[in-house]
């Protein structure tokens, strides 16, 4: 897959120069050489329409705009999915500086995520998993604008959805979606507010999946899911034909659309490419709610979630045929269109949302009558983002480019007018998946910055072994021409990100003592007659020992405590420092125990004191000149 980047330069009219010549990617081309190696043979057009001189000039001014001097603050928060690292990362944009990591579906030694009782409580029964695969981070909305309250993210690996509180930047709820496998696409209801988290289960499985019937494909299906954003309980599930990939919601609160690449319900790769067309399935949220209200649902197995049938013929859904194996689904910020990205077709299908009422009322003969444009953009369109000025930006995976195009002109071209809707193609390095413009998923899309998440970095950075980082590129889209300003290596694997104005996020600087995050510890202390803020005490309860201590830099409230071999020990630490940024840690040597305790926070961790002897514990977050001296001893008496 080398040389994919060496696409030739300037073509004055991208439409004449090759897209139609190459047309659809045949199934054989993709399976035979793989989408990645295939692209090497398929370069030969593209690149920017700009002259090299104007490109260089644009890049220079863009660079100045992107520069954030030491001590200066960024204009945007960016939330990045950490892919199969399972975490979420917080970046400042445009500096692309990493500000924080939020462990979610992984185990994190620095904060103790997956180790502390507080995090295990959030992880629930899925705490037994220490892996995850996060793709789609999305910030909660009120009236189509980011409200900065929560961020939601999927876990494809273990079929979960997580919620992160953006005031403390910690995950506070994780829900496993029942009856399905592999949550992939995830978007939020935008209007009137984020009441639902919509998410797609990608893989088709037998129903019920209990081993009774694993051969009869008739009984295999997957479901579209709505999670209640307030309670994080699954509100309802909709059975669909085919499978489900990506999804997005509209600006009326009524419709949600998802792409399906496997209308064939194929088990093998070649099967999934048999049909010339797959589809976009549109869900009618009020009709689904009404069906459930009327009791027209079933439940599956032990799960109490209401399940409705949205397969062909249902009044709850409509299936709109689009070219084969579509991928990304994006709503334009003016609320007018759903866009389905072609992947194996060089097109993006533009669906008019204001035609969907008529579609559901049976007023069209052909479901494709709601498609008002289908521009040809290049090879491998995966995701589209918007600048709020009428332009769309589509990643072309195989061409290694971003195509900037005019939506209104693409619609006119579909109606037969001769108009060149493609404005620019910019080479990116290399093979982009998602791209995301600032505030693009809200009414406030401001068309300033575009982040392109490239799957391959190849030669862009110092080599660091066979495993390469990805490359997240920052592009200035505020002018007429896109200009690349920054390469950012990232670790596995930010599929997607979201850019939010900094005033839309309001993080706390120190914890509030009544934060629900550690309410269980507070409740346990109360039962034990302990005042967490002042008491340093050991409570024995059979072979369970609860050790309560405070921490104030640079000392723990207890520099020694005594237990018996075999005791189950829970250490509760309350950080009484009031000073911003003075976090303490607690690490019990040789016990696999470590955690963060930030100012005014209480954290707890449970372990078994299995080895008699003296065991040192120490503070592992640098807090004071005498941080090394912040330590103590657990004395374990022989049983
Ligand atoms: Cu295209 Cu999981 Cu959003 Cu990756 S998905 S690219
Ligand atoms: Cu307390 Cu380091
Ligand atoms: Ca297909």
């Amino acid at each position: 897959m080398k040389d994919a980047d060496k696409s030739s330069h300037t073509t004055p009219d991208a439409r004449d120069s090759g897209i139609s010549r190459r047309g659809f990617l045949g199934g054989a081309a993709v399976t035979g050489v793989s989408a990645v190696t295939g692209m090497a043979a398929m370069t030969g057009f593209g690149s920017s329409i700009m002259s090299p001189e104007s490109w260089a000039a644009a890049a220079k001014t863009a660079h100045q705009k992107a520069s954030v001097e030491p001590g200066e603050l960024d204009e945007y928060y960016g939330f990045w999915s950490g892919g199969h690292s399972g975490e979420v990362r917080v970046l400042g944009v445009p500096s692309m500086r990493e500000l924080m990591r939020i462990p979610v579906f992984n185990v994190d030694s620095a904060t103790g995520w997956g180790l502390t009782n507080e995090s295990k409580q959030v992880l629930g029964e899925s705490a037994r998993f220490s892996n995850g695969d996060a793709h789609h981070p999305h910030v909660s909305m009120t009236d189509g604008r980011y409200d900065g309250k929560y961020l939601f993210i999927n876990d494809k690996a273990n079929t979960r959805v997580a919620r992160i509180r953006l005031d403390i930047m910690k995950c506070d709820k994780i829900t496993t979606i029942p009856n399905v496998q592999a949550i992939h696409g995830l978007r939020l209801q935008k209007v009137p507010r984020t009441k639902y988290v919509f998410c797609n289960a990608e893989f088709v499985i037998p129903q019920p999946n209990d081993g009774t019937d694993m051969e009869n494909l008739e009984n295999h299906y997957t479901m579209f899911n709505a999670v209640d954003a307030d309670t994080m309980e699954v509100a309802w599930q909709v059975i669909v034909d085919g499978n489900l990939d990506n999804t997005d919601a509209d600006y009326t609160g009524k419709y949600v659309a998802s792409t399906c690449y496997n209308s064939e319900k194929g088990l093998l790769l070649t099967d999934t490419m048999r049909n010339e067309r797959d589809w976009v399935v549109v869900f009618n949220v009020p009709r689904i709610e009404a069906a459930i209200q009327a009791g027209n649902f079933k439940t599956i197995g032990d799960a109490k979630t209401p399940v409705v049938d949205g397969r062909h013929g249902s009044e709850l859904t409509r299936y709109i045929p689009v070219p084969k194996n579509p991928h990304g689904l994006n709503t334009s910020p003016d609320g007018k269109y759903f866009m389905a990205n072609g992947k194996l077709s060089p097109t993006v299908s533009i669906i008019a949302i204001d035609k969907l009422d008529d579609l559901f009322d049976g007023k069209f003969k052909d479901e494709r009558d709601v498609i008002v444009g289908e521009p040809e953009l290049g090879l491998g369109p995966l995701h589209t983002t918007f600048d709020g000025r009428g332009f769309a930006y589509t990643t072309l995976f195989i061409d290694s480019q971003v195509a900037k195009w005019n939506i209104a002109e693409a619609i006119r071209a579909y109606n037969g007018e001769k108009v060149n809707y493609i404005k620019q193609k910019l080479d990116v390095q290399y093979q982009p998946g998602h791209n995301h413009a600032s505030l693009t998923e809200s009414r406030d899309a401001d068309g300033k910055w575009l982040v392109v998440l490239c799957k391959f970095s190849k030669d862009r950075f110092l080599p660091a072994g066979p495993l390469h980082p990805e490359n997240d590129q920052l592009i200035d889209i505020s002018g007429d021409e896109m200009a690349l300003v920054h390469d950012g290596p990232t670790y596995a694997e930010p599929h997607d990100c979201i850019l939010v104005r900094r005033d839309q996020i309001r993080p706390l600087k120190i914890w509030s003592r009544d934060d629900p995050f550690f309410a269980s510890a507070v409740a346990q202390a109360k039962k034990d007659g302990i005042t967490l803020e002042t008491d340093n005490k050991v409570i024995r309860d059979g072979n369970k020992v609860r050790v309560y201590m405070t921490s104030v830099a640079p000392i723990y409230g207890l520099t020694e405590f005594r237990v018996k071999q075999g005791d189950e020990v829970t250490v509760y630490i309350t950080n009484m420092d009031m000073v911003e940024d003075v976090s303490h840690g607690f690490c019990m040597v040789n016990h696999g125990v470590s955690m963060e305790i930030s100012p005014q926070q209480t954290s707890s961790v449970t372990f078994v004191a299995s080895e008699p002897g003296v065991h040192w514990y120490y503070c592992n977050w640098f807090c004071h000149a005498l941080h090394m001296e912040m330590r103590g001893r657990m004395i374990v008496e022989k049983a």
Side-chain angles (χ1 to χ4, degrees):
M1 46 162 287
K2 47 185 180 239
D3 287 343
D5 49 307
K6 305 265 169 36
S7 46
S8 67
H9 293 303
T10 317
T11 37
D13 184 346
R15 293 198 72 210
D16 295 339
S17 67
I19 298 166
S20 50
R21 170 160 52 81
R22 291 177 298 168
F24 280 62
L25 264 180
V30 175
T31 40
V33 290
S34 95
V36 175
T37 48
M39 89 234 154
M42 290 178 213
T43 53
F45 104 95
S47 196
S48 173
I49 300 168
M50 303 166 74
S51 71
E53 294 75 32
S54 67
W55 187 90
K60 198 167 177 208
T61 43
H63 219 98
Q64 283 156 0
K65 259 184 273 174
S67 121
V68 181
E69 296 299 312
E72 281 181 9
L73 304 182
D74 281 290
E75 211 181 324
Y76 298 88
Y77 281 98
F79 297 93
W80 258 245
S81 87
H84 37 289
S85 79
E87 65 190 12
V88 166
R89 300 180 194 139
V90 189
L91 271 70
V93 175
S95 76
M96 303 290 274
R97 298 180 292 206
E98 185 179 283
L99 306 175
M100 188 43 63
R101 295 181 174 202
I102 306 171
V104 182
F105 304 116
N106 56 335
V107 171
D108 178 50
S109 155
T111 56
W113 188 259
L115 305 173
T116 63
N117 295 322
E118 290 69 35
S119 63
K120 283 180 174 169
Q121 202 177 2
V122 171
L123 286 152
E125 57 86 33
S126 76
R128 68 187 190 277
F129 300 129
S130 54
N131 74 311
D133 186 8
H135 288 229
H136 299 117
H138 293 287
V139 171
S140 58
M141 288 189 244
T142 300
D143 191 30
R145 301 193 149 88
Y146 303 134
D147 60 26
K149 213 171 160 198
Y150 295 118
L151 180 129
F152 298 87
I153 191 151
N154 72 301
D155 170 26
K156 181 169 168 179
N158 296 307
T159 316
R160 293 176 288 183
V161 173
R163 182 174 80 183
I164 290 163
R165 271 176 56 192
L166 290 176
D167 59 342
I168 51 172
M169 304 260 177
K170 301 278 184 203
C171 174
D172 83 326
K173 290 266 187 195
I174 294 185
T175 300
T176 301
I177 313 296
N179 309 322
V180 291
Q181 278 181 23
I183 294 296
H184 182 236
L186 177 150
R187 289 289 165 92
L188 309 176
Q189 191 175 28
K190 303 174 201 281
V191 173
R193 67 177 190 101
T194 300
K195 179 181 162 206
Y196 293 125
V197 178
F198 300 115
C199 53
N200 287 335
E202 184 177 341
F203 299 141
V204 170
I205 56 168
Q207 297 287 355
N209 194 19
D210 57 4
T212 47
D213 183 2
M214 296 187 278
E215 309 309 325
N216 182 9
L217 291 180
E218 297 278 283
N219 299 332
H220 288 46
Y221 58 77
T222 191
M223 292 190 274
F224 174 74
N225 311 280
V227 177
D228 183 305
D230 300 324
T231 62
M232 286 297 281
E233 272 163 27
V234 187
W236 37 262
Q237 299 182 293
V238 183
I239 301 170
V240 292
D241 282 314
N243 85 331
L244 293 165
D245 190 359
N246 278 295
T247 187
D248 206 350
D250 73 353
Y251 284 85
T252 70
K254 199 167 175 186
Y255 297 116
V256 190
S258 297
T259 48
C260 159
Y261 65 76
N262 191 8
S263 61
E264 302 88 348
K265 284 200 190 175
L267 302 179
L268 305 175
L269 172 63
T270 44
D271 300 334
T272 67
M273 294 186 293
R274 219 170 41 229
N275 293 348
E276 268 317 302
R277 279 179 177 163
D278 290 296
W279 57 60
V280 168
V281 50
V282 181
F283 300 91
N284 187 317
V285 174
R287 283 194 188 180
I288 292 165
E289 289 175 326
I292 291 163
Q293 206 70 44
N296 298 327
F297 63 84
K298 63 170 183 177
T299 57
I300 301 176
D302 301 336
K304 292 189 194 77
T305 312
V307 175
V308 294
D309 195 337
R311 286 175 285 196
H312 277 86
S314 158
E315 283 308 294
L316 310 178
T317 56
R318 289 292 181 266
Y319 290 81
I320 304 167
V322 296
K324 64 163 66 180
N325 292 38
H327 183 58
L329 195 295
N330 302 92
T331 309
S332 59
D334 58 9
K336 287 185 181 165
Y337 310 113
F338 285 137
M339 306 225 183
N341 296 259
K343 191 166 75 183
L344 292 192
S345 156
T347 54
V348 165
S349 304
I350 307 177
I351 295 165
I353 291 171
D354 65 3
K355 288 182 188 278
L356 294 176
D357 284 350
D358 285 348
L359 178 68
F360 272 89
D361 291 341
K363 298 210 175 121
F364 294 116
K365 270 208 204 80
D366 184 343
E367 285 86 358
R368 279 190 52 92
D369 288 347
V370 300
I371 291 178
V372 295
E374 209 152 62
E376 286 189 7
L377 301 169
L379 290 185
L382 289 189
H383 295 279
T384 295
T385 190
F386 309 93
D387 62 10
R389 299 189 296 267
F391 297 98
Y393 302 77
T394 301
T395 50
L396 303 172
F397 181 84
I398 293 166
D399 282 337
S400 263
Q401 292 180 318
V402 173
K404 175 180 178 178
W405 54 282
N406 184 287
I407 301 167
E409 290 176 7
I411 292 171
R412 278 161 49 202
Y414 191 70
N415 292 328
E417 225 178 287
K418 214 176 147 37
V419 44
N420 180 16
Y421 43 79
I422 296 180
K423 300 301 153 191
Q424 186 194 3
K425 289 194 172 187
L426 182 73
D427 288 345
V428 293
Q429 285 76 27
Y430 308 91
Q431 272 70 53
H434 276 270
N435 64 353
H436 189 99
S438 39
L439 279 74
T440 192
E441 280 166 15
S442 72
R443 292 187 199 282
D444 301 323
D446 65 5
K448 285 194 181 168
W449 297 107
L450 174 70
V451 172
V452 181
L453 298 100
C454 298
K455 300 296 185 184
F456 299 88
S457 60
K458 293 196 271 183
D459 52 3
R460 300 293 276 195
F461 307 110
L462 281 176
L467 182 64
H468 287 48
E470 280 79 58
N471 184 13
D472 295 348
Q473 295 188 303
L474 182 71
I475 290 165
D476 177 7
I477 54 167
S478 60
D480 289 339
E481 310 275 359
M482 295 180 273
L484 173 67
V485 295
H486 183 82
D487 271 15
T490 46
Y491 185 63
E493 173 191 340
H495 288 261
D496 196 5
C497 68
I498 185 167
L499 305 184
V500 180
R501 242 182 17 242
R502 72 177 185 204
D503 61 83
Q504 294 176 310
I505 308 287
R506 294 164 301 273
L508 296 173
K509 294 192 170 170
I510 60 173
W511 288 79
S512 154
R513 283 299 303 146
D514 52 16
D515 198 289
F517 195 76
F518 46 80
S520 294
V522 172
Q524 184 60 52
K526 203 171 166 200
K527 271 192 226 157
D528 286 338
I530 294 285
T531 305
L532 285 169
E533 292 79 2
T534 50
D535 288 350
N536 292 288
K537 267 186 199 158
V538 178
I539 305 274
R540 177 167 286 279
D541 175 3
N543 70 342
K544 291 186 167 49
V545 177
R546 290 186 285 278
V547 180
Y548 292 96
M549 65 174 103
T550 57
S551 67
V552 176
I555 45 167
Y556 290 118
L558 290 174
T559 49
E560 186 181 304
F561 64 88
R562 217 164 259 271
V563 297
K564 292 199 180 72
Q565 182 181 9
D567 281 344
E568 185 196 281
V569 180
T570 302
V571 176
Y572 297 84
I573 299 183
T574 300
N575 180 346
M576 290 315 295
D577 276 306
M578 294 286 289
V579 183
E580 181 181 341
D581 207 4
V582 180
S583 294
H584 297 289
F586 176 81
C587 174
M588 180 67 73
V589 174
N590 292 351
H591 282 74
V593 162
S594 119
M595 63 183 181
E596 159 211 2
I597 317 108
S598 279
Q600 298 294 301
Q601 183 181 14
T602 297
S603 302
S604 72
V605 64
T606 300
F607 57 94
V608 176
S610 49
E611 304 289 326
V614 171
H615 303 273
W616 283 94
Y617 52 90
Y618 70 94
C619 174
N620 54 352
W621 279 90
F622 209 108
C623 55
H624 192 274
L626 295 171
H627 157 80
M628 295 299 291
E629 288 82 348
M630 185 164 174
R631 60 203 183 120
R633 297 187 312 155
M634 173 174 75
I635 315 285
V636 183
E637 291 166 357
K638 258 199 165 102

